[in-house]
Amino acid sequence: MSPYLAFFLFLLAAVGLVGLIVLLNGLLGPRVAASAVKSEPFECGSRPLQQRNVRPLSIKYYPVAILFLLFDLESVLLFIWAVSAGNRELATLSFCSFLFFMGVLTLAFIYLWKEGALEWR
């Protein structure tokens, strides 16, 4: 059996299962019309057209989240380095690129630490 045939059989089974679930939902699902309350927009427990106390949102979370994503990418690049380090022809080059990358990352981390970007104020 060719690998493409197995892929297309799996794809056909997945599409068939989704179609079967949608069909069964249409046949066996509830037929009650939505009430007026359920068709209104809902926003955090209050009606959106109602006057409310509007406060600016705090953005303390976003810099920390962005920095986490940047430093989290390090693990992906370290995995790539670990895979390429097994190759004897590229061992020296990959180790040098690893040291350069870790140096830049360490300098960035020290800079952010000194600037106070990692503190949750």
Side-chain angles (χ1 to χ4, degrees), residues 53-110:
N53 184 13
V54 178
R55 294 180 295 167
L57 294 174
S58 174
I59 60 165
K60 294 176 189 173
Y61 169 75
Y62 297 107
V64 174
I66 289 171
L67 290 174
F68 171 75
L69 287 175
L70 287 175
F71 285 106
D72 191 45
L73 289 176
E74 171 193 2
S75 63
V76 173
L77 293 174
L78 288 179
F79 178 75
I80 293 170
W81 170 77
V83 170
S84 69
N87 188 352
R88 294 287 177 208
E89 298 169 359
L90 299 175
T92 306
L93 179 64
S94 65
F95 186 68
C96 291
S97 64
F98 164 74
L99 288 179
F100 177 74
F101 174 72
M102 289 304 292
V104 170
L105 196 66
T106 303
L107 288 175
F109 185 73
I110 291 170

Side-chain angles (χ1 to χ4, degrees), residues 24-38:
L24 287 176
N25 184 31
L27 293 174
L28 303 175
R31 301 199 190 285
V32 179
S35 64
V37 174
K38 287 191 173 187

